[in-house]
Amino acid sequence: MRNWKSGVALTALSFAVLSAAPVAVSAAEAEVDAIEEVVVTAQRREQGAQKVGLALSVIGGSGLEEKNINIVNDVETALPNVEVDSQFGGGQPQFRIRGIGAREYSSNNASTVGIYVDEVAHPYTVTTQNALFDVSRIEVLRGPQGTLYGRNTTGGAINVVTNAPTHSFAAGASLEGGSYNRYKLEGYVSGPLNDKVRGRLAAFTEQGGGWQYNRDTAERLGDADRFGIRGRLAWDISDTVNADLSATWQRDKSDGLGFRLKTPYAVAGNPVPPYPADTEWRITGWQISPLLAAVAGVGTDAKPFRDNEGLDVSARINADLGWATLTSVTAYQQFERAEYNDWDGTRFHESDVYFYNDIDVLTQELRLASKEGGALEWLAGIYLAKESIEGGFYTDFRGYTDLIHTPYKQDVNAAGVFFHGTYALSDRFRLVGGLRYENEERELTSFGTLVGVPASASTKHKTDLSEVTGKFGLEFDLTDNALL
């Protein structure tokens, strides 16, 4: 897709171009300085990226713009060993790092790669589709991170860090345009509200871009219809206590994506293939049945669609105790998913699916971190989560005259205690170690897979996890710019 892009500054009444202040360094010097000053929070404290003894990749906000990264699925184009895909053209991204991850279209299974937005874990990946706006940087950590993060994950962690409120007034906007009538508009305004409170408001909308078309009707498919708004407040409560309050609302009413027939396709009960293989890469097909349209609450002319909406609210409080820093992160997520996909790519009802979900997640994390500069630097924390997800999916499948329905309800209670420490044996040699204990209980209320009958009796399935894990490592500074 061809794109064009321009940036303009946002004022209270209009868009105006802001002139840049003169800079007393050359472009080459600025680039070197930017590389040297990359600061990350991968280990839950601000550090230079070169000082972090982890398999780490970082891409800043300007890099996201240059590489045209608009949704989390695009991250795989910019970072090595990272895969992000939407299962079967739907709106639920799945993450894999070094090949470790899932391929899951149902919403209730937690990701083996941890996704964090401003230190808040998103255990259900469908809630992250519209997370990438007004972003400062993305950090990717490979491998288990249970001694550093409240929610343990085996594949790694992806940290999305959004832009914080600024101490002086700032505003801006950007506009992108592309082929197939695609455009994206993003803007922000930031600055002090008084001598103790700073605020930032950012929003985006993305529309158009539908590049597929129906082989039978020529109707277009693939248009984006996304919107998100985020408000952040930074509050200096006292000289030693500060708070960061954040609320994000997102909505996604985009089209789904269709399938292309790469070989001749035979419909069930019809020995003659009604469709030859598609030779045009933009061709697809769909047709929702009256039964599926009724349960989805749409007309029989509906295209593959998403109607997803989510709210994220969080409060991060830092208190300087003198000898250590206490951090509390409290968060609540609410998300509703409604999505219809046509997985056979034809006007027949061979494999059409409608998903519906209601997700609620409440989390609390407390961390205590040592002051920097001592021989021993440590971090200890506790993490609690209560999750509820209710929903299921209806399927129109070949050979069945009635819908197949798989409803469920899942409740999760999770707790983790973790410790991570680094001890400097010399200026260049350090020992690294950590321990974690976690307990997780999952209860799935299943009604089974039903064909043509309403849900009746249910069965409860329970599973739990209780284990201790740990980490041990050595770090050695080969040179000032090389860490082993």
Side-chain angles (χ1 to χ4, degrees):
M1 181 182 297
R2 298 181 179 88
N3 297 281
W4 56 267
K5 184 172 185 176
S6 63
V8 294
L10 178 64
T11 67
L13 298 177
S14 64
F15 291 104
V17 178
L18 291 184
S19 61
V23 180
V25 295
S26 68
E29 290 171 334
E31 184 176 356
V32 171
D33 288 345
I35 293 174
E36 291 176 348
E37 294 174 1
V38 174
V39 176
V40 298
T41 52
Q43 297 193 118
R44 315 311 288 270
R45 65 174 78 227
E46 291 188 351
Q47 297 173 289
Q50 282 293 104
K51 300 297 183 182
V52 177
L54 299 170
L56 172 68
S57 295
V58 184
I59 181 169
S62 59
L64 298 175
E65 294 177 1
E66 291 169 0
K67 298 178 185 298
N68 198 38
I69 296 175
N70 296 300
I71 58 174
V72 291
N73 304 64
D74 300 331
V75 170
E76 68 176 9
T77 65
L79 296 168
N81 311 120
V82 177
E83 296 176 89
V84 190
D85 60 40
S86 292
Q87 291 300 287
F88 303 105
Q92 176 167 277
Q94 290 292 299
F95 299 82
R96 290 177 294 281
I97 295 179
R98 291 174 170 169
I100 298 175
R103 294 185 181 275
E104 178 60 55
Y105 52 80
S106 181
S107 296
N108 65 307
N109 288 322
S111 174
T112 54
V113 174
I115 315 300
Y116 296 83
V117 180
D118 291 332
E119 300 191 40
V120 176
H122 284 247
Y124 303 103
T125 59
V126 70
T127 66
T128 67
Q129 185 74 19
N130 294 327
L132 297 189
F133 69 98
D134 198 36
V135 170
S136 172
R137 66 183 182 275
I138 297 177
E139 305 169 358
V140 175
L141 292 78
R142 296 164 180 81
Q145 307 297 330
T147 64
L148 282 167
Y149 289 79
R151 190 172 188 89
N152 192 19
T153 48
T154 54
I158 298 177
N159 293 329
V160 178
V161 182
T162 67
N163 288 308
T166 53
H167 288 270
S168 59
F169 177 79
S174 66
L175 176 64
E176 291 180 21
S179 51
Y180 307 110
N181 299 319
R182 173 189 174 270
Y183 74 88
K184 180 182 180 182
L185 176 64
E186 183 175 342
Y188 75 93
V189 60
S190 177
L193 303 179
N194 57 41
D195 59 347
K196 291 185 177 295
V197 180
R198 301 172 300 282
R200 187 181 187 97
L201 184 67
F204 88 99
T205 183
E206 184 176 5
Q207 304 291 324
W211 54 273
Q212 293 183 303
Y213 66 90
N214 191 307
R215 69 175 69 82
D216 298 316
T217 66
E219 187 177 7
R220 195 169 75 175
L221 184 68
D223 279 328
D225 182 4
R226 303 187 184 95
F227 176 80
I229 184 168
R230 178 184 298 118
R232 286 185 63 177
L233 286 177
W235 178 19
D236 298 327
I237 301 174
S238 70
D239 292 339
T240 58
V241 180
N242 64 77
D244 190 323
L245 312 176
S246 177
T248 303
W249 180 76
Q250 58 168 301
R251 186 207 68 203
D252 188 353
K253 291 191 174 184
S254 303
D255 291 347
L257 289 177
F259 278 48
R260 172 187 169 195
L261 302 180
K262 300 191 73 173
T263 61
Y265 185 79
V267 175
N270 187 348
V272 179
Y275 293 112
D278 291 328
T279 56
E280 164 62 48
W281 64 278
R282 294 173 54 206
I283 291 178
T284 186
W286 67 86
Q287 178 64 64
I288 192 169
S289 71
L291 288 175
L292 200 58
V295 300
V298 297
T300 54
D301 60 345
K303 298 189 290 185
F305 69 86
R306 307 167 197 166
D307 190 0
N308 301 338
E309 184 176 329
L311 174 67
D312 301 319
V313 181
S314 67
R316 184 172 68 248
I317 300 174
N318 296 301
D320 187 345
L321 306 180
W323 57 278
T325 300
L326 178 65
T327 301
S328 169
V329 182
T330 307
Y332 172 72
Q333 302 168 26
Q334 199 282 327
F335 193 88
E336 294 182 358
R337 180 189 189 192
E339 186 172 332
Y340 156 60
N341 292 313
D342 189 312
W343 290 347
D344 57 77
T346 74
R347 70 177 185 272
F348 296 95
H349 313 132
E350 297 280 276
S351 185
D352 297 359
V353 184
Y354 171 69
F355 296 96
Y356 63 98
N357 285 106
D358 190 351
I359 300 172
D360 291 274
V361 179
L362 178 64
T363 61
Q364 173 64 56
E365 182 173 329
L366 284 173
R367 301 194 306 268
L368 195 63
S370 66
K371 293 291 186 177
E372 297 182 17
L376 176 64
E377 292 185 352
W378 53 268
L379 177 146
I382 183 171
Y383 175 83
L384 302 171
K386 185 175 181 62
E387 306 166 8
S388 174
I389 176 169
E390 188 170 2
F393 49 93
Y394 288 88
T395 307
D396 244 348
F397 197 68
R398 64 188 313 178
Y400 287 86
T401 56
D402 290 307
L403 295 180
I404 303 172
H405 185 202
T406 306
Y408 59 82
K409 184 179 186 302
Q410 180 174 284
D411 296 292
V412 179
N413 291 295
V417 180
F418 54 99
F419 174 85
H420 185 90
T422 301
Y423 183 73
L425 298 175
S426 68
D427 290 342
R428 291 184 176 272
F429 191 57
R430 294 174 297 278
L431 298 178
V432 180
L435 281 174
R436 176 186 182 86
Y437 169 75
E438 62 184 314
N439 179 271
E440 184 171 299
E441 297 177 350
R442 291 176 175 262
E443 181 179 281
L444 178 70
T445 302
S446 171
F447 299 90
T449 297
L450 314 167
V451 181
V453 295
S456 54
S458 62
T459 304
K460 292 186 182 297
H461 305 272
K462 296 183 179 181
T463 184
D464 61 83
L465 167 72
S466 181
E467 68 177 13
V468 176
T469 55
K471 173 180 179 176
F472 177 76
L474 303 172
E475 293 181 359
F476 181 67
D477 295 322
L478 294 174
T479 68
D480 290 341
N481 296 316
L483 172 63
L484 175 67

